[in-house]
Amino acid sequence: MPRKTKQNDITSPALLAKVNQGNMRLKRDFLDYLRSIQRSPKTIAGYCNDLDIVLVWNLLYNGDKDFIKISKRDWAAFQSWLINENGNSPARVRRLKAAISSLSNYIANILDDEEEFKDFRPVIRKIENPAMQQVRKKTVWSDEALEALLEKLTQTGQYEKACALALGMYSGRRKAELARFRVSDFDKENLVCAGALYKTREPIQTKGFGMGKYIHCYTLAKKFQPYFDKWMEERKRLGIQSEWLLPSPTEPDKQVGETTLNSWANTFSRLSGGEFYWHSLRHFFTTLLSKSGLPDNVIQEIVGWESADMVRVYKDISAEEQISQYFGEDGEIRSDTGKSLSEL
């Protein structure tokens, strides 16, 4: 299921209507600016939600000050309120502060030629961030647990769900990206690396600056193929015609939606007995590649990260387990340190 996050329950249309209108105009102008530089709608919606929280807090607890007059002492009080009264995680606090910082930078860099704002200086960065702490337990999947889940799904005829789960397991793509795969991405001519990987025919939009970046995405062919084939047989039986691998259940010419994927995640949690969320498969895929002996820089290229540092973040392998891959049972250093892609 989607992991539960501390929800915003401070804002409401009635409270937002009472917020200092100068502050609301700053927010609207800032969001319009983000649209003009082609930030993604999801990013803009996130800024809007975060700034609503900031401005309503300012209304209720800080005298509804003009944004440009909010002091370092005020921002320190805001951070304390988030942590100690509103129960937000350190990561959530950092995100809210990032929204404040972005709006502050907009004022300092774009509005500096207006008399009202010419002396404004961003101060939120002066407030030290709270220490990062993991507040939600991460789900680490074993091969056996996910394979058992795949078997349950196929035995009960839930072939589309099994295909979606296998795609997440063997491509490591994010939830939104899974919906962007086409059936044609798994044509035989898209096999690369001696048939080890499917490479998408066209680049797929992924998370990134602005409207996101577009990259070719890879899927482990041998492991994914059985679940793809079963889903294709089921589609043919049901008469489903769609370019999308995972089409909307009500509008086949469109991709499956987030609501449906979240519903499937709930099903996977119930069937597996674990807390399933799609992003956990990104960790599983990275770990699978690493346990197979692929170097971090190769994994980086397969997943599409800009830095191999991300591999170390996502692979769920202890230092001792990783080191042991390079030694045989006799204690000697192994000359063969892993499998080839074609063996996966």
Side-chain angles (χ1 to χ4, degrees), residues 3 138-141 146 164-178 180-181 204-208 213 215-218 220 276-290 299-307 309-317:
R3 289 183 289 181
K138 181 172 67 173
T139 301
V140 178
W141 295 106
L146 288 177
L165 177 61
L167 182 62
M169 289 170 60
Y170 301 127
S171 73
R173 304 321 308 175
R174 300 178 182 89
K175 176 171 62 177
E177 296 160 7
L178 296 175
R180 296 173 185 147
F181 281 81
I204 284 180
Q205 182 183 10
T206 65
K207 186 177 180 181
K213 62 181 181 180
I215 64 171
H216 288 282
C217 296
Y218 298 93
L220 290 174
F276 181 91
Y277 49 94
W278 290 100
H279 208 77
S280 64
L281 300 182
R282 196 162 171 83
H283 288 264
F284 173 81
F285 180 67
T286 306
T287 303
L288 172 66
L289 296 180
S290 185
I299 298 173
Q300 171 197 347
E301 294 296 333
I302 293 173
V303 180
W305 282 312
E306 294 182 357
S307 168
D309 291 341
M310 294 301 296
V311 179
R312 291 185 282 276
V313 172
Y314 274 84
K315 62 183 178 185
D316 298 315
I317 305 177

Side-chain angles (χ1 to χ4, degrees), residues 160 179 181-185 228 231-232 235-236 238-256:
E160 184 176 19
F181 281 81
R182 291 174 165 83
V183 173
S184 60
D185 289 326
F228 173 79
W231 173 225
M232 289 301 100
R235 281 169 58 120
K236 184 176 180 180
L238 296 174
I240 296 174
Q241 295 184 354
S242 174
E243 66 174 314
W244 303 109
L245 178 64
L246 305 172
S248 164
T250 56
E251 300 178 89
D253 60 327
K254 296 182 179 180
Q255 307 161 5
V256 69

Side-chain angles (χ1 to χ4, degrees), residues 47-192:
Y47 275 123
C48 182
N49 178 69
D50 291 345
L51 291 173
D52 282 347
I53 295 171
V54 172
L55 296 181
V56 170
W57 170 85
N58 184 53
L59 167 72
L60 296 177
Y61 302 103
N62 201 42
D64 204 22
K65 286 185 179 180
D66 291 342
F67 183 87
I68 60 174
K69 295 181 180 178
I70 299 177
S71 67
K72 286 181 284 187
R73 177 183 291 185
D74 297 329
W75 288 131
F78 174 61
Q79 179 164 296
S80 176
W81 176 82
L82 289 172
I83 292 285
N84 299 309
E85 296 184 44
N86 207 42
N88 293 109
S89 68
R92 182 73 175 110
V93 172
R94 288 174 182 235
R95 174 177 158 172
L96 285 159
K97 289 176 69 181
I100 296 166
S101 181
S102 294
L103 174 56
S104 297
N105 290 338
Y106 164 75
I107 295 170
N109 297 329
I110 305 300
L111 306 183
D112 57 330
D113 59 345
E114 299 183 24
E115 186 66 26
E116 181 182 358
F117 304 110
K118 68 177 184 178
D119 294 325
F120 174 76
R121 295 291 181 272
V123 296
I124 187 66
R125 287 171 290 186
K126 300 287 187 179
I127 309 303
E128 184 178 355
N129 284 324
M132 289 296 286
Q133 299 173 0
Q134 187 171 322
V135 296
R136 296 185 294 190
K137 185 178 180 180
K138 181 172 67 173
T139 301
V140 178
W141 295 106
S142 66
D143 295 4
E144 294 76 15
L146 288 177
E147 286 168 3
L149 178 54
L150 283 170
E151 185 175 357
K152 287 181 182 179
L153 292 170
T154 52
Q155 285 182 342
T156 54
Q158 300 181 70
Y159 301 118
E160 184 176 19
K161 293 186 184 72
C163 183
L165 177 61
L167 182 62
M169 289 170 60
Y170 301 127
S171 73
R173 304 321 308 175
R174 300 178 182 89
K175 176 171 62 177
E177 296 160 7
L178 296 175
R180 296 173 185 147
F181 281 81
R182 291 174 165 83
V183 173
S184 60
D185 289 326
F186 302 99
D187 291 343
K188 297 302 181 184
E189 57 263 32
N190 295 329
L191 286 168
V192 298

Side-chain angles (χ1 to χ4, degrees), residues 26 39 62 130 133 143 178 190 200 207 209 229 234 329:
L26 276 176
R39 290 293 183 91
N62 201 42
Q133 299 173 0
D143 295 4
L178 296 175
N190 295 329
T200 53
K207 186 177 180 181
F209 182 80
D229 291 342
E234 181 70 0
E329 293 182 0

